[in-house]
């Protein structure tokens, strides 16, 4: 009996040792904190010269973009979803919950105002929040995009400037009065879904490269009104709705800026 | 003096090494903040609480996160404590109505090995046994840290049994840190008397509490200095609870038969305000007017009226010179419940803006069991049998139609309606919908017990258990409205009076599988179904006592994992150590020729690092509690300290997404949150006993 009890005791100790060694196992994944940066394209060096798809030769002399926050979601997001909520019920894998004003004519890394946090899961859909404060505020006068430059086509010379704000000027009325929540203003302020494949890892950082050149592909600078601020320049109206000279260009420009294109907004995970 | 009548009750038969009868005895001197704290006398228990003093403790047992009772069947003298149909957690158990001085002992069965264990006995069961050994009338006043005050009155006629008593307490505290004030009152009365050839006992109690709660704090808010360690992200959290019950028991034992029947009526009310996520979950529905994030403060309420009874009959006979026994028992319980959950706008408005849930449910659980003791040899027996539980659900969802749908009526647009009375294309429907279902579950349970051999008893046990499903998951004719657990264990117990002291010890290895586990969802504020899980582990326990000391210690190691991924279940502690120690003696000096009795108690808890989501780990918990008392001529002075070393520790640690506006834009990615463990607290008590020995 004593031998049997000794054997049982030894077995119990061995089993408990194996349980202890396995006990602190993994739950999967990791949490990552990182620096987040934004920049212009490599060709940007204080100015950016390019040709648009509708034949204009453009030289950007000033280009700034205000980004309020960056988020990424696990899995792909359906761009045509009828969900009117801006914060989805899917799982977010990455956030940079603070803003930056990016000089798009500099290819140098410019750091966001806050650190970012992420899980180590694969993110497949990105979001840029274009806001100066509350994403749901009905009125927000923060300039999101400010550009200036010179466009030429044939003998036409068009100094231009443009400012985009996203406020009551972008609000869309609901198509059905029984569905008043159809078009919250936050939807106009979020560029989503930007297709990407980002898997954060410890020690890495996030870089966002913004290419403003496609924004002007569909702009006819000859249809722009004279700027009220600078009579020597033409201005892309800061409007999406209404009628009048240049409103179509204003709506086109806004739609181009807010297009969820991986070409215009490229994310890279930088590892040392 | 007067004769003391001692009437015993029918002792349950142990089912293996994990069936533990714990007399509190001298260890009552060790400071315990609530009746749930007594569970720590059993191996492998960790208690946490992020919900405030009136909120039920979250219990971890042998790798199970039993939340506030979902996986442990709780009862007090045969009266159930689990709330069936509580929307915060099906099986929610608030033990605060029990006045701690009335707790004589507990029977804890870790695992579903006894046929008498019913619904919620997935990780095991805990039954409190009440009684008052100190007779006479006692009045006790206490004052302590953070404005804590308590008044306690105990009444126990010297010529009645320990099962006859009255007790009442009133308590208030300002609480430590932010938003932890609480008040409560509780009263208990029980009368026990011989009746015919048996024993009759009637018990009634009433309890009410109002409390504030600090909830959880984001780690980054604490690190940045925005919120203090003992602070609160949302000061509007807290709650109320009440319980009133009456129960009657009759039991009788003869040489070859025993009977017991208990009947009970329980009324429970609960309101809970909690906010785990801040400003994250308020989605914009197409059918609602435009709005910002209005806040995630959950206002949850539960009312339940329970009728029921339980009992058994035991017969014994002799076969082959060996005593054989059979218990045939029953359990019946009907719960009529109402559960609602709303979301409130953030302060200062604090008005509901959405209805998440509104259920009226009737839940019936009828169980019957057979539990045999078959002795094959003098030192070899098979104990066990089977239990059958029949569940019936009748759930009326008063807000069944929610969310968006296509083409609503333009004539009667359902704008901002939480519970719709129309559906696609404006077609009318009632906002309510009823679902009913039922099922029967057969649960075999058995233990082979061999010994004692030189004071060592060996056992191997097997059992199937069940946990009824939350009414929110009931759909019409749902096949299996419960989760099932399968558990195995082998163990050894030692018990012997060594002369200088009595020693008992036990060692158990176990394996438990649940087909549909419950995990807490911070976004929904309650438990939600997940995939199957398995837990393997070992427990060791020892208790030594004599005329001047009582020592109890236990270790538990467990490895809990999800079946599909093999990943570890987060939040569950894998190593737990607990030690309770009491010294008591008559002092070598007297006062006015009357003896002075001194008592010293120390309790120590150690919880190893716990796995958190995303491969994170929690801090270690290491806390010492202590108390000392002197008793003289009916007077007792006690000084108790919890967290004597003022250790700063995180009692609960979590990883999930929340947004309390700590950054310029919403924080949507999982982050560390924690609930702070209590700092050092002192309590000085002065008591006077009149008419006792």
């Amino acid at each position: 009996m004593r031998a049997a009890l000794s054997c049982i005791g030894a077995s119990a100790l061995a089993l408990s040792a194996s349980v202890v060694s396995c006990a602190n196992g993994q739950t999967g994944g990791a949490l990552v904190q990182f620096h987040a940066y934004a920049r212009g394209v490599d060709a940007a060096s204080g100015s950016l010269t390019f040709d648009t798809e509708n034949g204009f030769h453009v030289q950007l002399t000033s280009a700034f973009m205000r980004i309020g926050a960056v988020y990424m979601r696990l899995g792909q997001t359906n761009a045509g979803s009828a969900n009117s909520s801006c914060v989805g019920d899917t799982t977010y894998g990455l956030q940079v919950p603070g803003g930056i004003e990016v000089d798009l004519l500099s290819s140098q890394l410019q750091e966001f105002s806050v650190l970012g946090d992420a899980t180590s899961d694969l993110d497949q859909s990105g979001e840029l929040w274009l806001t100066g404060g509350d994403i749901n505020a009905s009125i927000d006068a923060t300039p999101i995009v400010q550009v200036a430059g010179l466009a030429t086509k044939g003998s036409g010379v068009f100094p231009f400037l443009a400012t985009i704000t996203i406020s009551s000027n972008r609000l869309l009325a609901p198509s059905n009065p029984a569905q008043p929540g159809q078009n919250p203003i936050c939807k106009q302020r979020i560029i989503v879904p930007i297709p990407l494949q980002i898997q954060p890892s410890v020690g890495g950082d996030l870089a966002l490269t913004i290419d403003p050149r496609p924004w002007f592909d569909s702009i006819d600078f000859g249809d722009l009104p004279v700027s009220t601020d600078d009579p020597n320049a033409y201005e892309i109206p800061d409007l999406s709705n209404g009628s009048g000279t240049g409103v179509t260009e204003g709506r086109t420009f806004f739609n181009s800026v807010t297009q969820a294109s991986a070409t215009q907004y490229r994310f890279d995970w930088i590892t040392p | 003096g007067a004769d003391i009548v001692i009437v015993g009750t029918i002792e349950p038969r142990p089912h293996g090494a994990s069936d533990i009868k714990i007399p509190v005895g001298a260890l009552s001197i060790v400071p315990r903040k609530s009746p749930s704290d007594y569970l720590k006398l059993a191996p492998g228990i960790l208690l946490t609480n992020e919900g405030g003093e009136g909120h039920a403790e979250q219990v971890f047992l042998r790798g199970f996160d039993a939340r506030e009772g979902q996986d442990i069947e709780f009862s007090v003298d045969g009266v159930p404590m689990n709330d069936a149909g509580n929307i915060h957690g099906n099986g929610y158990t608030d033990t605060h109505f029990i006045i701690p001085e009335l707790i004589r002992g507990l029977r804890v069965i870790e695992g579903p090995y006894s046929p008498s264990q019913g619904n919620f006995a997935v990780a095991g069961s805990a039954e409190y046994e009440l009684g008052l050994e100190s007779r006479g009338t006692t009045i006790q006043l206490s004052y302590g840290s953070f404005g804590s005050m308590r008044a306690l009155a105990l009444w126990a006629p010297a010529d009645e049994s320990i099962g006859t008593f009255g007790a009442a307490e009133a308590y208030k505290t300002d609480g430590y840190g932010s938003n932890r004030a609480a008040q409560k009152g509780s009263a208990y009365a029980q009368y026990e008397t011989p009746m015919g050839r048996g024993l009759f006992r009637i018990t009634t109690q009433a309890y009410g509490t109002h409390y504030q709660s600090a909830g959880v704090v984001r780690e980054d808010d604490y690190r940045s200095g925005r919120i203090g360690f003992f602070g609160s992200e949302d000061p509007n959290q807290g709650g109320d609870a009440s319980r009133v019950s009456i129960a009657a028991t009759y039991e009788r034992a003869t040489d070859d038969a025993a009977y017991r029947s208990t009947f009970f009526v329980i009324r429970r009310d609960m309101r809970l305000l909690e906010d785990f996520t801040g400003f994250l979950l308020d989605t914009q529905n197409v059918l609602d007017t435009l709005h910002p994030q209005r806040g995630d403060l959950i206002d949850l309420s539960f009312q339940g009226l329970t009728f029921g009874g339980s009992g058994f009959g035991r017969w014994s006979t002799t076969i082959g010179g060996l005593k054989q026994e059979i218990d045939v028992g029953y359990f019946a319980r009907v719960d009529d419940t109402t559960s609602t959950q709303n979301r409130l706008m953030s302060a200062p408005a604090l008005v509901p803006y959405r209805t998440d849930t509104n259920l009226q449910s009737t839940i019936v659980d009828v169980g019957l069991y057979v539990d045999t003791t078959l002795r094959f040899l003098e030192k070899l027996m098979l104990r066990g049998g089977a239990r059958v539980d029949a569940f019936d659900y009748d759930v009326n969802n008063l807000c069944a139609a929610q969310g968006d749908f296509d083409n609503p009526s333009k004539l009667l647009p359902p704008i901002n309606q939480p519970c719709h009375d129309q559906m696609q294309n404006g077609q009318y429907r009632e906002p309510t919908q009823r679902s009913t279902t039922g099922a029967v579950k057969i649960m075999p349970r058995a233990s082979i017990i061999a010994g004692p051999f030189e004071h060592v008893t060996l056992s191997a046990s097997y059992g199937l258990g069940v946990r009824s499903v939350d009414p929110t998951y009931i759909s019409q004719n749902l096949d299996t409205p419960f989760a099932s657990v399968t558990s195995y264990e082998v163990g050894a117990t030692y018990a012997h009076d060594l002369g200088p002291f009595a020693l008992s010890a036990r060692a158990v290895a176990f394996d438990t599988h649940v087909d549909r586990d419950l995990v807490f969802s911070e976004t929904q504020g309650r438990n939600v179904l997940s995939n199957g899980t398995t837990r393997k582990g070992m427990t060791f326990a020892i208790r030594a006592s004599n005329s001047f000391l009582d020592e109890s210690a236990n270790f538990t190691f467990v490895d809990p994992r999800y079946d599909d991924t093999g990943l570890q279940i987060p939040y569950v502690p894998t190593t737990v150590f607990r030690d309770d120690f009491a010294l008591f003696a008559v002092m070598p000096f007297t006062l006015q020729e009357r003896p002075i009795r001194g008592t010293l108690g120390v309790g120590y808890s150690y919880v190893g690092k716990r796995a958190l989501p995303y491969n994170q780990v929690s801090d270690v918990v290491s806390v010492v509690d202590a108390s000392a008392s002197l008793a003289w001529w009916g007077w007792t002075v006690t000084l108790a300290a919890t967290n004597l070393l003022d250790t700063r520790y995180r009692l609960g640690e979590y990883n999930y997404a929340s947004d309390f506006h700590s950054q310029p834009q919403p924080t949507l990615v999982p982050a560390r949150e924690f609930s702070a463990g209590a700092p050092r607290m002192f309590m000085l008590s002065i008591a006077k006993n009149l008419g006792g020995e």
Side-chain angles (χ1 to χ4, degrees), chain B residues 73-193:
Chain B
E73 182 192 27
F74 282 93
S75 60
V76 54
D77 286 331
V79 179
M81 288 200 274
N82 301 81
D83 290 340
N86 189 319
I87 190 175
H88 184 54
N90 192 33
Y92 180 97
T93 302
D94 181 2
T95 64
H96 294 103
F97 69 94
I98 300 175
I99 298 174
E101 284 78 3
L102 299 179
I103 300 174
R104 284 191 66 211
L106 295 95
R107 180 189 180 198
V108 177
I109 306 177
E110 299 189 353
Y113 302 124
S114 169
S116 65
Q117 294 171 286
N119 191 9
F120 307 111
V122 170
S125 61
E127 177 166 12
Y128 288 81
E129 179 191 346
L130 304 187
L132 198 53
E133 295 188 3
S134 173
R135 310 307 294 173
T137 301
T138 302
I139 181 79
Q140 177 180 294
L141 300 175
S142 306
Y143 183 80
S145 305
F146 308 106
S148 300
M149 289 182 274
R150 182 180 187 233
L152 172 70
L154 301 171
W155 172 77
D159 57 348
E160 298 283 355
S161 73
I162 58 175
T164 295
F165 56 80
E169 70 166 342
Y171 168 81
K172 73 175 286 287
T173 182
D174 297 331
Y176 59 91
S178 303
N179 217 52
R180 289 180 173 84
Q183 306 87 37
K184 77 169 179 181
S186 185
Y188 234 107
Q190 180 166 292
Y191 179 66
E192 184 176 83
T193 182

Side-chain angles (χ1 to χ4, degrees), chain A residues 23 26-27 29 71 84 95 133 181, chain B residues 284 286 568 612 615 665-666 668-669:
Chain A
Q26 295 194 329
T27 55
Y71 298 97
S84 61
Q95 69 184 21
Chain B
Q284 175 69 58
V286 169
Q568 193 158 54
L612 300 177
N615 273 345
Q665 295 297 328
L668 306 179
V669 168

Side-chain angles (χ1 to χ4, degrees), chain B residues 267-520:
Chain B
R267 165 74 188 191
R268 272 270 299 153
D269 288 80
M270 186 184 103
R271 184 195 185 194
L272 180 62
L273 293 157
E274 60 182 15
D275 186 359
F276 286 96
T277 50
F279 295 86
L280 195 67
L281 306 177
D282 185 16
T283 55
Q284 175 69 58
N285 290 332
V286 169
L287 296 177
D288 294 344
T289 53
L290 296 177
H291 61 79
Q293 282 280 339
R294 293 168 288 191
D296 300 341
L297 182 63
I298 291 171
D299 186 356
L300 176 160
S301 73
F302 168 79
Q303 295 89 39
L305 182 62
T306 302
F307 297 88
S310 65
F312 72 94
R314 174 180 297 163
W315 295 271
S316 57
T317 186
T318 302
I319 298 176
L322 299 171
K323 186 174 184 181
Q324 319 294 338
E325 291 180 335
I326 181 169
D327 290 3
V328 179
Y330 76 95
F331 177 88
R333 171 176 178 166
V334 178
D335 292 88
D336 194 27
T337 71
T338 301
S339 287
T340 63
Q341 180 169 305
N342 298 320
R343 304 234 177 213
L344 304 187
M345 292 184 191
S346 59
L350 290 176
V351 296
Y353 66 83
R354 195 168 90 198
T355 298
D356 286 334
T357 309
N358 189 350
L359 301 177
Q360 288 179 344
S361 308
T362 301
I363 304 165
V364 177
D365 176 12
V366 175
L368 60 112
Y369 66 88
V370 171
D371 188 8
T372 62
T373 300
L374 303 175
R375 290 183 169 85
F376 305 107
L377 301 170
E378 184 181 340
K379 295 196 177 187
L380 179 66
M381 75 173 90
L382 173 68
R383 179 166 284 151
R387 181 186 179 96
V388 176
D389 270 280
F391 295 93
D392 188 85
Y393 286 84
D394 183 346
V395 180
N396 192 13
N397 189 343
L398 303 181
C399 190
Q402 298 183 332
D404 288 327
F405 56 87
D406 293 334
N407 298 322
S409 166
K410 292 180 183 174
L411 191 61
L412 295 170
I415 296 174
N416 296 330
Q417 298 301 312
C419 312
H420 298 313
D421 59 1
Q422 58 179 273
M423 51 192 196
Q424 262 184 322
N425 302 314
Q427 185 177 353
Y428 176 78
R429 62 153 291 160
E430 288 288 332
T432 64
Q433 185 150 357
R434 185 181 293 271
S435 299
T436 58
T437 192
V440 171
K441 179 74 174 178
I442 302 171
M443 294 163 280
R445 294 162 182 177
S447 299
I448 296 175
I449 301 170
F453 305 108
E454 297 186 18
H455 314 292
V456 175
T457 301
L458 305 173
S459 65
S461 300
Y462 161 82
L464 291 185
V466 71
R467 179 215 305 129
S468 60
V469 172
D470 190 319
T472 56
Y473 292 108
I474 296 299
S475 58
Q476 186 61 28
N477 293 327
L478 178 68
D479 281 340
T480 53
F482 44 73
S484 300
V485 60
T486 307
S487 190
Y488 308 85
E489 73 168 34
V490 293
T493 57
Y494 174 89
H496 186 46
D497 189 338
L498 298 176
F501 53 88
L503 178 67
S504 65
R506 66 186 67 239
V508 176
F510 58 87
D511 183 321
T512 303
H513 170 71
V514 182
D515 64 351
R516 287 187 293 177
D517 213 337
L518 273 176
V519 293
F520 185 72

Side-chain angles (χ1 to χ4, degrees), chain B residues 6 23 88 90 140 245 313 328 392 491 504 522 527 581 584 601 645 689:
Chain B
I6 301 173
H88 184 54
N90 192 33
Q140 177 180 294
S245 70
V328 179
D392 188 85
S504 65
E522 293 78 8
N527 304 315
F581 176 73
F584 39 94
L645 304 180
N689 177 268

Side-chain angles (χ1 to χ4, degrees), chain B residues 7 10 31 49 55 70 74 116 206 226 234 243 283 287 306 396 411 443 465 475 483 542 552 562 570 587 637 666:
Chain B
V7 183
I10 301 168
N49 192 343
H55 187 275
Q70 71 184 38
F74 282 93
S116 65
R226 183 172 167 268
D234 186 344
R243 176 188 167 106
T283 55
L287 296 177
T306 302
N396 192 13
L411 191 61
M443 294 163 280
S475 58
I542 189 169
S552 170
Y562 286 104
M587 298 288 103
V637 178

Side-chain angles (χ1 to χ4, degrees), chain A residues 219-236:
Chain A
I219 300 298
D220 187 345
F221 292 90
D223 285 347
L224 296 178
V226 173
S227 169
T228 55
D229 295 327
D230 181 355
N232 296 316
Y234 299 92
E235 183 169 4
I236 303 174

